[in-house]
C-alpha cells in the first residue's frame, strides 16, 4: 500500500484538496486505538516527534468516544483489531455507519490474519502488519495526510 | 386295511358268514381312501367310492382293466406297476408315494400300500391296494423344504457372519462361508468337533464355552463380546449371539450361533479416534502458534518503534540530543523487551511442564510476604485496569513451597482478574484450611459459564473470544500445574454475572524449623 502511494508532496491539489484537508499549515491529528499501552505510547512518541498530534484510545468504544467528543475530527485513525470491550471490527462498523466519521482514513494495525482480506473486509485505507517499520508507517500516513510529510530521519 | 387271509378274490369271493357283507360296507363307506382289489396280474377286480372320488372313474369304467391306467407315461415306461406287484408279492407289502393320473388327466400325489393276498396254501391270489391323496401335505412339505433350502443357501453364502448350528452338547453340526472366512476352518475340519475349539485357553479354563451354552439354554439367547481364536491361532474380537433351538415339545435340540468379527471395526474406530485427536491437537497447536505470534509481535512492535524513533531522533541530530527523550525511549524499549522475555519464559514453562522438566525449588517463607511482593510488583497493571485490591490475608502462614512459582501463580490469577474484570474490586485472600492453605483471588467480572469451567485450565484455552482478549491462554494452565506440583489443586467458583473466585489449595508442608507454627 505505501509503496504504491504517490507522495502527497507531489500532488498538492490531490483528491482530498477540496475536502479542506490540504491546508499546509494546519496541525494534523492521528487517533491511535490499541489496547496495548506500550504500543500506544511508542506510536504517540514517534508521531509527536514527526510533528503530529496524537489522541489515544484503549479499545473501540473509547475510540468512538474520542471521535464523538472531538471539536475537530482527527485526520487519520490507526486501529488495532483484537481488543477487549470493543474490537476493531466492531469499531469499524460503528464508524462507517456514522456519516460524520465514515470518511476519516483508517489504517489497520494488526498482528494476525490475512492483511489483504482485512482491507477488503474492513474497507480500510491500508493494513500494516505488526511488527511494522516506522518508516513504512510514516509513508503510509503521508499517503492519507496530503501536505504533510515526515520530518526526516 | 386288513383283509382276511382266506379272502381269495374280489370277483368270486369264498362265502364267509360275516366278512363279505360287512367288509364291503366298510370299504364302500371309506371316501378318503381308494381301496381296490387286483388280481395277480394287476387287473382291477373291485373299486370303492373312495377310489371313484380319488381317480374319477366309475367302477364300471375300470373293473377288468389293468391298474397301470392310473400311472404316468414315465412310470409305465419304467414298468413301475409290475415292479410294485413283484415287490409286494415277494415281501408281502409295498408302500410308495408317487404321482398318479386321474381320469381327467390331472396328477395327484398318492400314498399307496399294496398288500399281497395269498390263499390257504400260500399261493398268491391277488393284491389289495389302498391309495390316499397326499397332494396337499406334499405341497406343504415341498414348500417347507424349498424354504429351508433357500434359507440354508442364504446362510451358507453369508460372508460377514459366521453362522452355524451346535447340537445340545456343543458339537458343530453346520458351517457357512462366513464361519470359514472368519474362523479359517473348512466345514470338514470342524463338523462334529466341540465349539470350545474357538475359545482362548483362558476362556476354556474358565469353562466359558459351556457357561455360554447353559446361559442360552436358560435364557433362550445370550450375547458375548470377547476374544476368539482362528485356526491359525490368531485372535479376533468377536460379537457372539447364541440362541437355543427347541422342538415343538420344548425339547432342546441344539443352538444357533452367529459370530461377527469386530476386530476391523474396533481398529477402524480406534484409528478414527486417534486421527481426530491428532487433528484436534494440531488445530489447538496451530491456533496457539498464531496467538503466540500475535502476543510476541505486540511488544516487539513497541520495542522496534522505540528504537526506530530513537534512530530518527539521532539522525536528525540538530545539535546535541536532549537526554530526556532518549532515556524515556530506551526505558520503554527495555520494558517491551522484558515483556518478550516474560512471554518466552511462559512458553518455555509449558514445554517444561509437558516434558516433566519443571522442578520446584522449595524453601520456607511466609505466604503473606509473597502476596505483598506480588501486589507491589503488579501495582502498574492494577492501576491501568482501574482495579482496587482488597486484602484478606491471615498473617503468619509459613510453610515450605517454591516461592517464585507461587508468586507466578498469583500473578497469573491477578493478571486474569485485571484483564477480565477491569474497573472493579479484586479480593486477594489467604487463610488456613484444615491441614492446608487457601489462597484466593476473587473478582467481580462477568463470570464464567458452566460449560467453559472445565475448559479454562487446559493449555491454550480461554473462555472468551480471542478477538477481544489477547494473551497466550496459558496462565490458568500453568497456575494449575504449579498448584499440582505442590501437591495441591486449583478450583474455580463462578457464575455468569457474579464474578469468579479462583482458589489455590496447598498442603501446608512445614520443615522442622517451623514445626512450632500454630496449629488449627
Amino acid at each position: 500500500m505505501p509503496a504504491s502511494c504517490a507522495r502527497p508532496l507531489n500532488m498538492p491539489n490531490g483528491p482530498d484538496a477540496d475536502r479542506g484537508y490540504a491546508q499546509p499549515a494546519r496541525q494534523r491529528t492521528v487517533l491511535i486505538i490499541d489496547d496495548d499501552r506500550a504500543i500506544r505510547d511508542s506510536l504517540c512518541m514517534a508521531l509527536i516527534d514527526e510533528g503530529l498530534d496524537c489522541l489515544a484510545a484503549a479499545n473501540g468504544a473509547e475510540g468512538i468516544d474520542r471521535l464523538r467528543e472531538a471539536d475537530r475530527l482527527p485526520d487519520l485513525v490507526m486501529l488495532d483489531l483484537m481488543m477487549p470491550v470493543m474490537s476493531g471490527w466492531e469499531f469499524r462498523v460503528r464508524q462507517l455507519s456514522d456519516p460524520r466519521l465514515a470518511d476519516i482514513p483508517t489504517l489497520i494495525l494488526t498482528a494476525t490474519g490475512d492483511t489483504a482480506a482485512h482491507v477488503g473486509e474492513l474497507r480500510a485505507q491500508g493494513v500494516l502488519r505488526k511488527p511494522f517499520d516506522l518508516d513504512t508507517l510514516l509513508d503510509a500516513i503521508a499517503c492519507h495526510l496530503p501536505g504533510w510529510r515526515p520530518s526526516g530521519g | 386295511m386288513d383283509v382276511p387271509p382266506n379272502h381269495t378274490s374280489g370277483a368270486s369271493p369264498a362265502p364267509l358268514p360275516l366278512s363279505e357283507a360287512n367288509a364291503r360296507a366298510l370299504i364302500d363307506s371309506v371316501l378318503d381312501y381308494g381301496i381296490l382289489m387286483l388280481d395277480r396280474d394287476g387287473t382291477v377286480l373291485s373299486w370303492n367310492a373312495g377310489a371313484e372320488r380319488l381317480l374319477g372313474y366309475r367302477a364300471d369304467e375300470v373293473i377288468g382293466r389293468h391298474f397301470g391306467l392310473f400311472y404316468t407315461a414315465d412310470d409305465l415306461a419304467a414298468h413301475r406297476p409290475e415292479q410294485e406287484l413283484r415287490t409286494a408279492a415277494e415281501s408281502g407289502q409295498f408302500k410308495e408315494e408317487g404321482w398318479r393320473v386321474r381320469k381327467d388327466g390331472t396328477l395327484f400325489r398318492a400314498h399307496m400300500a399294496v398288500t399281497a393276498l395269498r390263499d390257504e396254501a400260500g399261493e398268491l391270489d391277488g393284491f389289495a391296494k389302498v391309495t390316499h391323496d397326499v397332494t396337499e401335505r406334499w405341497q406343504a412339505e415341498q414348500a417347507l423344504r424349498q424354504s429351508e433350502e433357500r434359507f440354508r443357501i442364504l446362510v451358507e453364502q453369508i460372508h460377514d457372519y459366521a453362522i452355524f448350528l451346535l447340537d445340545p452338547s456343543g458339537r458343530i453340526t453346520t458351517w457357512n462361508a462366513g464361519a470359514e472366512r472368519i474362523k479359517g476352518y473348512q466345514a470338514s475340519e470342524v463338523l462334529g468337533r466341540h465349539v470350545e475349539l474357538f475359545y482362548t485357553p483362558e476362556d476354556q479354563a474358565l469353562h466359558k464355552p459351556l457357561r455360554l451354552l447353559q446361559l442360552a439354554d436358560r435364557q433362550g439367547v445370550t450375547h458375548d463380546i470377547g476374544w476368539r481364536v482362528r485356526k491359525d491361532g490368531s485372535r479376533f474380537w468377536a460379537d457372539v449371539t447364541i440362541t437355543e433351538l427347541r422342538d415343538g415339545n420344548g425339547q432342546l435340540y441344539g443352538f444357533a450361533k452367529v459370530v461377527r468379527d469386530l476386530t476391523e471395526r474396533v481398529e477402524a474406530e480406534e484409528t478414527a479416534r486417534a486421527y481426530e485427536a491428532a487433528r484436534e491437537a494440531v488445530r489447538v497447536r496451530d491456533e496457539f502458534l498464531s496467538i503466540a505470534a500475535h502476543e510476541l509481535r505486540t511488544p516487539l512492535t513497541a520495542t522496534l518503534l522505540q528504537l526506530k524513533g530513537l534512530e530518527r531522533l539521532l539522525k536528525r541530530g540538530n545539535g546535541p540530543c536532549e537526554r530526556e527523550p532518549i532515556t524515556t525511549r530506551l526505558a520503554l524499549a527495555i520494558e517491551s523487551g522484558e515483556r518478550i522475555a516474560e512471554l518466552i519464559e511462559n512458553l518455555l514453562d509449558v514445554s517444561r511442564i509437558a516434558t516433566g522438566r519443571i522442578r520446584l525449588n522449595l524453601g520456607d517463607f511466609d505466604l503473606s510476604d509473597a502476596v505483598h511482593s506480588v501486589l507491589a510488583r503488579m501495582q502498574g497493571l492494577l492501576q491501568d485496569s482501574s482495579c482496587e485490591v482488597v486484602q484478606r490475608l491471615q498473617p503468619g502462614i509459613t510453610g515450605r513451597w517454591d516461592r517464585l512459582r507461587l508468586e507466578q501463580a498469583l500473578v497469573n490469577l491477578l493478571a486474569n482478574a485485571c484483564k477480565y474484570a477491569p474497573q472493579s474490586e479484586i479480593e486477594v485472600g489467604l487463610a488456613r484450611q484444615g491441614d492446608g492453605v487457601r489462597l484466593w483471588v476473587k473478582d467481580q467480572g462477568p463470570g464464567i459459564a458452566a460449560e467453559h469451567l472445565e475448559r479454562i485450565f487446559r493449555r491454550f484455552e480461554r473462555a472468551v473470544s480471542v478477538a477481544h482478549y489477547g494473551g497466550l491462554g496459558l496462565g490458568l494452565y500453568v497456575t494449575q500445574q504449579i498448584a499440582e506440583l505442590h501437591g495441591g489443586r486449583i478450583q474455580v467458583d463462578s457464575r455468569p454475572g457474579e464474578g469468579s473466585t479462583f482458589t489455590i489449595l496447598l498442603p501446608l508442608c512445614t520443615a522442622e524449623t517451623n514445626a512450632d507454627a500454630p496449629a488449627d
Side-chain angles (χ1 to χ4, degrees):
Chain A
M1 173 84 199
S4 64
C5 171
R7 293 295 292 265
L9 263 190
N10 304 331
M11 39 180 291
N13 299 312
D16 288 327
D18 54 349
R19 277 206 270 154
Y21 288 141
Q23 301 300 319
R26 191 163 68 75
Q27 182 61 34
R28 308 306 182 101
T29 306
V30 176
L31 170 61
I32 296 165
I33 309 176
D34 195 307
D35 62 325
D36 190 273
R37 189 178 48 80
I39 297 256
R40 289 198 304 271
D41 290 353
S42 49
L43 265 178
C44 273
M45 283 188 188
L47 297 188
I48 289 168
D49 279 349
E50 302 298 330
L52 295 167
D53 274 356
C54 258
L55 292 172
N59 58 58
E62 280 187 22
I64 292 287
D65 289 347
R66 295 282 170 284
L67 290 177
R68 297 221 162 119
E69 72 200 13
D71 297 331
R72 193 166 60 81
L73 285 176
D75 301 275
L76 184 76
V77 173
M78 293 175 50
L79 178 67
D80 183 26
L81 290 180
M82 280 166 42
M83 291 182 290
V85 186
M86 187 192 288
S87 72
W89 289 278
E90 196 178 337
F91 170 86
R92 202 56 191 139
V93 170
R94 302 271 177 109
Q95 182 198 358
L96 289 170
S97 64
D98 184 336
R100 207 170 74 91
L101 311 179
D103 289 335
I104 306 173
T106 301
L107 294 178
I108 308 292
L109 309 176
T110 179
T112 48
D114 173 2
T115 51
H118 287 325
V119 178
E121 186 190 334
L122 295 160
R123 290 160 58 197
Q125 277 62 41
V127 173
L128 289 162
R129 202 179 163 85
K130 294 175 184 173
F132 45 79
D133 178 57
L134 182 57
D135 295 338
T136 312
L137 173 71
L138 295 174
D139 282 347
I141 292 173
C143 278
H144 300 286
L145 296 184
W148 174 86
R149 65 184 186 102
S151 49
Chain B
M1 170 132 299
D2 285 335
V3 178
N6 57 348
H7 186 151
T8 52
S9 161
S12 53
L16 281 167
L18 251 179
S19 61
E20 176 62 45
N22 286 349
R24 181 143 303 276
L26 182 64
I27 289 169
D28 277 344
S29 73
V30 174
L31 288 178
D32 287 339
Y33 289 84
I35 301 172
L36 46 150
M37 295 292 183
L38 305 176
D39 70 8
R40 277 188 298 252
D41 303 319
T43 303
V44 178
L45 299 178
S46 77
W47 191 249
N48 78 335
E52 182 174 333
R53 211 172 80 123
L54 196 58
L55 287 149
Y57 295 97
R58 292 191 314 274
D60 64 295
E61 290 175 308
V62 288
I63 288 179
R65 294 179 72 177
H66 190 264
F67 82 112
L69 182 64
F70 318 126
Y71 283 71
T72 63
D74 287 348
D75 283 349
L76 291 174
H79 305 291
R80 300 276 299 164
E82 293 79 2
Q83 277 173 19
E84 286 176 15
L85 295 186
R86 199 160 49 242
T87 309
E90 284 166 6
S91 54
Q93 196 174 50
F94 174 81
K95 283 182 180 173
E96 171 193 67
E97 195 178 302
W99 294 104
R100 293 294 179 268
V101 187
R102 292 195 188 92
K103 182 185 173 189
D104 64 7
T106 56
L107 296 178
F108 68 98
R109 190 76 183 172
H111 180 271
M112 70 212 89
V114 182
T115 308
L117 304 173
R118 295 185 180 277
D119 62 17
E120 286 162 341
E123 284 297 310
L124 183 68
D125 201 20
F127 299 93
K129 184 166 178 174
V130 179
T131 304
H132 180 49
D133 183 352
V134 295
T135 309
E136 277 183 23
R137 195 201 72 204
W138 182 85
Q139 282 171 341
E141 281 174 1
Q142 201 62 18
L144 185 64
R145 196 159 47 241
Q146 280 175 359
S147 148
E148 280 175 350
E149 178 73 3
R150 276 198 298 268
F151 190 67
R152 189 180 58 78
I153 290 170
L154 186 73
V155 167
E156 278 176 1
Q157 299 301 314
I158 289 173
H159 276 254
D160 293 338
Y161 293 83
I163 302 174
F164 51 98
L165 301 181
L166 308 176
D167 70 13
S169 71
R171 297 195 183 281
I172 298 155
T173 57
T174 72
W175 198 242
N176 78 335
E180 192 176 315
R181 189 184 71 85
I182 291 174
K183 302 198 186 261
Y185 292 96
Q186 303 282 324
S188 60
E189 296 171 307
V190 289
L191 290 178
R193 295 182 69 178
H194 197 272
V195 72
E196 69 180 10
L197 179 68
F198 308 130
Y199 288 79
T200 62
E202 305 92 271
D203 284 348
Q204 288 185 25
L206 295 168
H207 306 293
K208 186 170 179 180
L210 207 61
R211 279 194 296 114
L212 286 177
L213 293 185
Q214 284 167 349
L215 218 57
D217 187 11
R218 219 169 29 245
Q219 303 174 344
V221 63
T222 186
H223 294 278
D224 183 54
I225 291 182
W227 293 108
R228 296 292 186 274
V229 184
R230 296 194 187 90
K231 183 186 174 187
D232 64 8
S234 62
R235 292 182 177 198
F236 66 99
W237 189 245
D239 175 319
V240 179
T241 303
I242 303 173
T243 312
E244 59 160 10
L245 302 173
R246 290 188 183 276
D247 63 20
N249 298 321
Q251 190 64 39
L252 182 78
Y253 69 90
F255 300 94
K257 210 170 160 181
V258 179
V259 180
R260 196 152 50 113
D261 183 353
L262 297 179
T263 315
E264 280 175 20
R265 210 181 71 183
V266 169
E267 283 170 358
E269 279 172 3
E270 275 171 6
T271 309
R273 259 199 302 278
Y275 175 72
E276 269 313 306
R279 231 172 52 157
E280 176 62 11
V282 169
R283 187 194 66 74
V284 168
R285 197 203 55 196
D286 285 352
E287 194 179 297
F288 171 69
L289 282 177
S290 104
I291 291 169
H294 174 267
E295 288 303 304
L296 288 168
R297 275 182 188 136
T298 305
L300 189 60
T301 305
T303 312
L304 290 174
L305 278 174
Q306 295 298 353
L307 294 174
K308 195 77 188 190
L310 201 56
E311 184 195 43
R312 288 177 71 89
L313 211 61
L314 293 171
K315 270 192 194 162
R316 226 177 287 155
N318 303 329
C321 296
E322 290 174 49
R323 283 184 71 85
E324 198 261 324
I326 294 175
T327 49
T328 308
R329 278 172 178 73
L330 279 176
L332 288 169
I334 289 166
E335 189 186 299
S336 296
E338 283 168 351
R339 265 177 69 195
I340 297 175
E342 193 184 316
L343 280 168
I344 291 173
E345 200 55 37
N346 279 338
L347 287 174
L348 289 175
D349 270 351
V350 173
S351 153
R352 285 187 198 116
I353 290 167
T355 53
R357 282 183 293 118
I358 201 163
R359 292 274 178 275
L360 293 183
N361 185 12
L362 298 176
D364 297 320
F365 63 97
D366 186 327
L367 255 184
S368 60
D369 288 349
V371 175
H372 284 130
S373 72
V374 166
L375 288 174
R377 245 188 297 154
M378 295 194 71
Q379 214 48 50
L381 180 63
L382 288 164
Q383 271 165 13
D384 280 356
S385 45
S386 313
C387 286
E388 194 184 322
V389 172
V390 176
Q391 300 180 28
R392 305 231 183 287
L393 305 177
Q394 182 180 332
I397 299 181
T398 310
R400 174 165 276 253
W401 304 286
D402 183 327
R403 176 163 182 160
L404 288 182
R405 288 293 177 192
L406 286 189
E407 287 188 9
Q408 181 188 3
L410 184 57
V411 165
N412 286 339
L413 294 184
L414 281 170
N416 266 2
C418 289
K419 186 160 139 186
Y420 296 112
Q423 292 152 20
S424 64
E425 187 182 281
I426 300 173
E427 179 182 304
V428 180
L430 180 60
R432 293 284 299 265
Q433 180 173 310
D435 296 336
V437 179
R438 195 156 61 91
L439 171 62
W440 70 91
V441 173
K442 180 178 180 185
D443 68 45
Q444 296 175 355
I448 303 162
E451 67 261 31
H452 297 312
L453 281 177
E454 180 257 338
R455 204 158 62 82
I456 56 173
F457 292 107
R458 280 191 237 147
R459 253 191 297 180
F460 319 141
E461 291 279 10
R462 69 202 70 223
V464 295
S465 151
V466 176
H468 288 298
Y469 296 98
L472 291 172
L474 291 175
L476 287 177
Y477 171 70
V478 171
T479 303
Q480 182 186 41
Q481 300 298 319
I482 290 171
E484 287 176 1
L485 279 167
H486 279 90
R489 60 194 171 88
I490 186 167
Q491 68 182 36
V492 56
D493 300 295
S494 183
R495 266 204 299 238
E498 294 179 17
S500 307
T501 305
F502 287 89
T503 307
I504 296 176
L505 295 155
L506 293 172
L508 187 54
C509 319
T510 49
E512 278 73 28
T513 48
N514 23 304
D516 52 352
D520 271 357

